Amino acid sequence: MTHNLPDLDTYQTQGYLIARQLFCPEAMAELQSIVERIHRQWAAENGDLIRANRLLNMHSLTDSRYFKEQAAERQTLFAWITQPAITGWLTGLFGDELYFHNSQLFFNPLDREQLPYWHRDLQYSTVTDEAQQSEQGQLLALHLRVPLLPECGMALIPGSHRRWDNHLEREVRFELNGHQKHEYLPGSVLINLQPGDALLFDAQMLHRGHYQSNSARLAFDICVGNYHPFTAAFLNKTVLPDQAEMAQLANHDWYRRAWQIAESLG
Ligand SMILES: O=C(O)CCC(=O)C(=O)O
């Protein structure tokens, strides 16, 4: 497939890009069968945690714990993540310092009344809001969302990757002065995606899920970025291919860089 992929200028203005039908149905079917199996295993092992914490996502889908009897599937998933349609596009946009950081899967909460919440991803880490704000220009933390089902599942505030919150956004995000974190925020856009599409967005822009108009949701997010101590601290070696797996990959640059970062952190 040849594509006119959205460009860096648009990304720099909006903080997100949509590539329509980047993946063919066969590629989507291959991803779907692996991801759904991992999700079933995780859900079967974590029922209490899912209910207690009202979870709407899981992470680390490439962890070897999901492939004890499916070694070939792990190889397929690593190759899927670094297929040329993805690495070619992202390297063209951001250069060749990118590394694979992790993956996540987003689904609907069990409680269909549960409301989504505006956030910037590092908000739920130990990095202070002030530190995040001052490093905003240095951070490149990206999600490449690959929906397995049609979804109208993500709200974003275009341009919020280049600035910090205005007064209302801050009050909503931190639930100050009677505001709630799910409230409508002016300027937000709701993103419609079909299987085969890809949504690239800055993890530090203002965003929230959108659950209620999707009867089901299953969105696989590939997390990549450039090295920064705030995000690299969360890199876990268990999600990376081992040396034998790396040797079989046509393109292992993102994983090699991840290993270099992980080893440098000890
Ligand atoms: O899709 C969702 O439910 C929310 C996604 C999100 O918050 C994220 O990707 O960080």
Side-chain angles (χ1 to χ4, degrees):
M1 262 190 270
T2 55
H3 276 91
N4 282 328
L5 290 168
D7 60 22
L8 189 59
D9 284 349
T10 312
Y11 175 83
Q12 280 168 342
T13 307
Q14 311 185 137
Y16 71 94
L17 295 173
I18 301 173
R20 299 281 176 201
Q21 295 306 296
L22 188 60
F23 309 113
C24 65
E26 293 73 24
M28 290 310 299
E30 182 178 55
L31 179 68
Q32 182 159 7
S33 91
I34 299 173
V35 166
E36 286 186 347
R37 183 190 60 72
I38 295 168
H39 182 220
R40 277 196 300 277
Q41 179 183 333
W42 174 83
E45 291 169 359
N46 292 288
D48 290 345
L49 191 77
I50 295 166
R51 280 184 291 278
N53 294 322
R54 299 160 66 82
L55 295 183
L56 41 95
N57 73 336
M58 63 171 290
H59 60 81
S60 303
L61 282 84
T62 57
D63 193 305
S64 50
R65 65 192 302 280
Y66 297 116
F67 300 91
K68 292 202 172 109
E69 280 147 38
Q70 288 92 1
E73 273 194 7
R74 190 170 194 235
Q75 193 74 35
T76 303
L77 186 54
F78 283 130
W80 207 100
I81 290 168
T82 50
Q83 63 182 282
I86 295 178
T87 53
W89 182 32
L90 269 57
T91 303
L93 289 169
F94 301 107
D96 57 12
E97 294 296 312
L98 292 172
Y99 76 97
F100 170 76
H101 184 79
N102 206 344
S103 59
Q104 298 189 42
L105 184 69
F106 288 86
F107 37 82
N108 278 338
L110 287 175
D111 172 5
R112 298 296 283 124
E113 301 299 311
Q114 191 172 319
L115 294 168
Y117 51 94
W118 289 106
H119 62 283
R120 301 181 187 262
D121 269 13
L122 280 172
Q123 181 168 340
Y124 299 102
S125 73
T126 54
V127 182
T128 64
D129 200 58
E130 292 70 27
Q132 289 175 49
Q133 178 173 8
S134 71
E135 283 300 294
Q136 176 79 335
Q138 313 306 318
L139 267 162
L140 183 70
L142 301 162
H143 278 228
L144 184 75
R145 167 155 299 195
V146 182
L148 301 177
L149 300 173
E151 71 163 38
C152 186
M154 177 71 98
L156 303 168
I157 303 208
S160 60
H161 64 309
R162 297 204 302 190
R163 60 169 179 80
W164 215 241
D165 307 3
N166 63 30
H167 184 73
L168 176 63
E169 290 164 351
R170 181 173 171 73
E171 299 222 313
V172 166
R173 191 156 69 91
F174 292 107
E175 302 207 301
L176 305 173
N177 298 319
H179 285 285
Q180 294 188 295
K181 57 187 186 241
H182 62 79
E183 275 173 40
Y184 171 78
L185 280 177
S188 62
V189 295
L190 202 49
I191 308 288
N192 254 302
L193 298 171
Q194 294 297 317
D197 294 347
L199 165 68
L200 179 69
F201 66 96
D202 185 318
Q204 284 294 91
M205 74 188 301
L206 281 163
H207 63 282
R208 72 161 188 209
H210 179 76
Y211 317 138
Q212 282 173 350
S213 42
N214 304 281
S215 56
R217 221 158 49 99
L218 218 42
F220 180 61
D221 281 19
I222 300 168
C223 308
V224 299
N226 282 354
Y227 169 80
H228 189 285
F230 288 176
T231 43
F234 299 100
L235 178 60
N236 191 332
K237 291 176 189 166
T238 62
V239 304
L240 302 179
D242 62 25
Q243 291 308 315
E245 289 166 326
M246 296 257 284
Q248 288 182 49
L249 287 166
N251 175 8
H252 54 62
D253 291 353
W254 285 5
Y255 303 120
R256 186 175 40 76
R257 271 182 227 111
W259 270 111
Q260 284 164 353
I261 292 169
E263 301 287 2
S264 74
L265 296 171

